[in-house]
Amino acid sequence: MGATMTGTERMSEGKSDRKVLRVLEGEAIGPPPAWMMRQAGRYLPEYRASRAEAGSFLDLCYSPDFAVEVTLQPIRRFGFDAAILFSDILVVPHALGQDVRFVEGEGPRLDPLNGRDAFGRLREAGDPAIFSHLAPVFETVKRLRAELPGETTLLGFCGAPWTVASYMIGGRGTPDLAPARALAEGDTALVDSLIDRLVTVQTAYLVRQLEAGADAVQIFESHAGTLPRAVPASGDIVEPVGDVTESALPGEAAMDALTRWSLRPIARMIAGVRARVPHAKIIVFARGSGLDGHGRVVPETGADAVGVDWAVDLKVLRRQLPATTVTQGNLHPDTLIEGGDALDAGVDAVLEATAGLPHVFNLGHGITPQTPVAHVERMLARLRR
């Protein structure tokens, strides 16, 4: 199939001036453009009203009317330089046929994928029902591009294969991801097959978001700090199941866990996206991967930018990275809650660490519900002064 025109190519035709895209192309802009992970969320009274009207979290995600509205709310209020599609990483397992629900006050719950029978009940990667299920997401993207200001970058997203697989296996988020790690080490071929299916489906998912009007996409590896041992891909444990596992290659036992379970599957996704959308701009957020892991994201995956979590010293990381590497982040969400002089100092520290370098201002994780709106306003005033 032919290449698809992306937001980056539209920008080059002079239709807009989207600062986040310019940074992803390698330009240093001062002050840096800004957006926040989870910027459409419970800290906003207008979001809470929309959430109550929608009825359930998944209804909010799958209704283009509601999803467009909540995506636009922080743009109207704060004028962020990027809008990120309102959805959830777990719409993909839902589309694959796994039961997904959100319990008020507890978060997501899935029927655990705890063996081969459960894997066998998932839809195959080529099943058209997957993207029929996700059609409302693409409609939301299409409407957002039409309604957003011309200068606002529109970001799509998905979860990284390991992060999504860990939810599918465990049935919920757990601090140590024990169910997912145990299955990955006990039935490696099964988890490889699951990850392969997620690579295939989510690659196509990101392509369709870009085709619908997203300017760039972000891959969220929320669990890069909690990985199984770097066991071989197939070995003599069991035979591969279902989808053919591309990752079963000689010498894999020598890989470390970050490459084995996180960076390599992400790299396969990025290569797949670029095969369809050659100029696609892609950010990878590998939370918990440490200073070394953050430094490896761009060279090992081919991403255009690395999202930096709050635990990494941004100044130290920037000194270790090539000056051309694009970074994003990494104000601590707790500093945003604290506000006052501490918030000013936190914003200044990010600006100092990235002065003259290509950087997108963001938090080092998602904004939390208890964050005062006034503190977001103060953060942006400090950044843009």
Side-chain angles (χ1 to χ4, degrees):
M1 296 181 70
T4 301
M5 179 174 283
T6 65
T8 305
E9 292 168 316
R10 288 191 293 273
M11 183 190 71
S12 68
E13 291 188 336
K15 293 184 178 180
S16 63
D17 184 17
R18 298 171 189 162
K19 291 182 180 179
V20 171
L21 272 181
R22 286 167 53 192
V23 173
L24 294 177
E25 293 276 10
E27 183 179 348
I29 298 176
W35 68 280
M36 296 189 306
M37 290 181 279
R38 296 184 189 157
Q39 65 188 25
R42 288 177 290 167
Y43 74 104
L44 289 176
E46 56 267 44
Y47 171 87
R48 296 194 296 270
S50 295
R51 170 70 174 79
E53 186 180 354
S56 75
F57 180 75
L58 285 176
D59 287 335
L60 197 63
C61 292
Y62 289 132
S63 165
D65 288 344
F66 280 117
V68 167
E69 169 59 23
V70 296
T71 302
L72 292 174
Q73 286 168 354
I75 305 303
R76 296 190 196 110
R77 184 184 276 269
F78 303 115
F80 284 118
D81 296 291
I84 185 164
L85 163 72
F86 183 84
S87 187
D88 193 270
I89 65 171
L90 298 182
V91 298
V92 170
H94 201 210
L96 285 168
Q98 189 172 20
D99 183 63
V100 178
R101 57 212 175 271
F102 285 78
V103 179
E104 194 67 34
E106 297 182 16
R109 296 290 182 271
L110 302 83
D111 288 347
L113 194 158
N114 50 16
R116 296 186 173 212
D117 288 345
F119 180 79
R121 290 191 291 271
L122 296 179
R123 293 184 174 117
E124 295 289 341
D127 190 330
I130 294 172
F131 290 105
S132 294
H133 183 100
L134 295 170
V137 177
F138 310 131
E139 176 64 21
T140 297
V141 174
K142 181 180 178 180
R143 291 195 201 177
L144 281 168
R145 186 63 277 167
E147 294 192 33
L148 282 166
E151 68 273 13
T152 306
T153 299
L154 175 57
L155 301 174
F157 75 94
C158 71
W162 167 249
T163 288
V164 177
S166 70
Y167 279 103
M168 295 178 73
I169 295 165
R172 61 188 296 176
T174 59
D176 59 359
L177 304 186
R181 290 189 296 111
L183 188 62
E185 295 177 14
D187 194 344
T188 305
L190 172 60
V191 177
D192 276 335
S193 294
L194 175 59
I195 285 179
D196 287 343
R197 190 163 301 183
L198 289 169
V199 167
T200 300
V201 171
Q202 295 195 136
T203 297
Y205 183 49
L206 292 182
V207 167
R208 292 193 185 209
Q209 290 182 45
L210 290 160
E211 290 175 338
D215 297 298
V217 293
Q218 177 158 311
I219 299 173
F220 286 86
E221 182 69 284
S222 302
H223 299 318
T226 313
L227 299 166
R229 292 181 299 111
V231 294
S234 55
D236 299 321
I237 303 172
V238 281
E239 293 301 315
V241 202
D243 301 342
V244 176
T245 173
E246 180 184 318
S247 56
L249 297 176
E252 185 140 318
M255 291 185 185
D256 70 0
L258 184 64
T259 295
R260 169 71 174 84
W261 296 108
S262 177
L263 299 183
R264 186 171 184 188
I266 292 171
R268 290 168 55 202
M269 285 181 61
I270 291 174
V273 170
R274 296 243 175 85
R276 290 282 302 279
V277 188
H279 302 290
K281 294 301 171 187
I282 303 172
I283 307 161
V284 171
F285 178 60
R287 177 174 172 246
S289 61
L291 183 66
D292 174 69
H294 280 74
R296 291 163 53 189
V297 164
V298 170
E300 287 197 31
T301 69
D304 296 285
V306 53
V308 184
D309 72 34
W310 58 262
V312 170
D313 187 320
L314 184 57
K315 182 179 286 188
V316 173
L317 177 66
R318 285 280 11 172
R319 287 172 179 164
Q320 295 181 2
L321 294 173
T324 53
T325 299
V326 180
T327 49
Q328 176 180 275
N330 76 328
L331 183 72
H332 199 308
D334 289 351
T335 303
L336 186 55
I337 294 173
E338 184 177 355
D341 292 342
L343 175 56
D344 292 346
V347 171
D348 292 349
V350 173
L351 294 176
E352 179 185 353
T354 60
L357 299 168
H359 183 76
V360 176
F361 188 93
N362 206 314
L363 305 184
H365 196 216
I367 185 171
T368 56
Q370 62 268 41
T371 304
V373 169
H375 292 189
V376 179
E377 293 169 343
R378 179 167 180 152
M379 176 190 76
L380 292 172
R382 185 76 178 185
L383 174 68
R384 294 165 174 169
R385 73 193 193 282

